[in-house]
């Protein structure tokens, strides 16, 4: 998948998680893939309003919900640091695609982590 948004293409997703050995890279890689797929969906579907964007981010959040089990199996967890890093990256994606009014809590409202 080729991301055309330069701001997103240059962004180092989940950087803080990669920098901390508590989070296994192979699981963090899957989280990064979720975020990149979200970007691809935004570019393909071009949501016209926040409601449409939230539908896409909620689907991506559901993928992170499923990833929680993989973090746990690897002796890790989506805890405070990870939650904040993931939420910040969702917010950065929204901003990069012009959704300045996006609410970070609504972007990830379907989370169970």
């Amino acid at each position: 998948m080729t991301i055309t948004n330069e701001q997103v293409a240059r962004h180092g997703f989940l950087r803080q998680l990669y920098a901390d050995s508590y989070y296994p890279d192979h699981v963090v890689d899957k989280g990064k893939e979720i975020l990149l797929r979200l970007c691809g969906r935004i570019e393909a579907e071009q949501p016209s309003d926040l409601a449409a964007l939230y539908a896409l981010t909620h689907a991506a959040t559901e993928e992170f919900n499923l990833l929680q089990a993989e973090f746990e199996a690897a002796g890790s967890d989506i805890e405070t640091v990870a939650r904040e890093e993931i939420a910040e990256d969702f917010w950065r994606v929204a901003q990069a695609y012009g959704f300045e009014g996006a609410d970070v809590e609504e972007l990830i409202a379907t989370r169970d982590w």
Side-chain angles (χ1 to χ4, degrees):
M1 150 187 1
T2 302
I3 302 300
T4 61
N5 182 300
E6 284 296 318
Q7 188 177 359
V8 170
R10 288 190 316 263
H11 181 64
F13 286 109
L14 305 176
R15 193 174 312 152
Q16 198 170 0
L17 303 187
Y18 281 114
D20 188 334
S21 63
Y22 177 69
Y23 307 101
D25 285 353
H26 72 281
V27 182
V28 177
D29 287 345
K30 292 180 181 186
K32 180 179 175 180
E33 290 170 12
I34 292 168
L35 291 164
L36 289 171
R37 275 194 306 276
L38 170 62
C39 294
R41 288 192 67 194
I42 291 170
E43 290 186 9
E45 298 180 27
Q46 299 182 356
S48 60
D49 58 19
L50 283 173
L53 174 68
Y54 291 149
L56 297 178
T57 63
H58 292 173
T61 300
E62 293 292 335
E63 291 185 64
F64 270 102
N65 289 346
L66 297 173
L67 194 59
Q68 171 67 7
E70 291 190 49
F71 273 103
E72 290 173 359
S76 186
D77 190 21
I78 298 180
E79 43 67 68
T80 303
V81 171
R83 279 193 300 268
E84 290 177 6
E85 184 76 358
I86 293 165
E88 183 175 321
D89 277 344
F90 269 88
W91 182 81
R92 286 186 184 278
V93 166
Q95 298 301 299
Y97 287 102
F99 292 95
E100 290 84 13
D103 178 87
V104 69
E105 291 300 320
E106 184 57 36
L107 290 168
I108 57 171
T110 58
R111 72 183 169 138
D112 63 10
W113 30 271

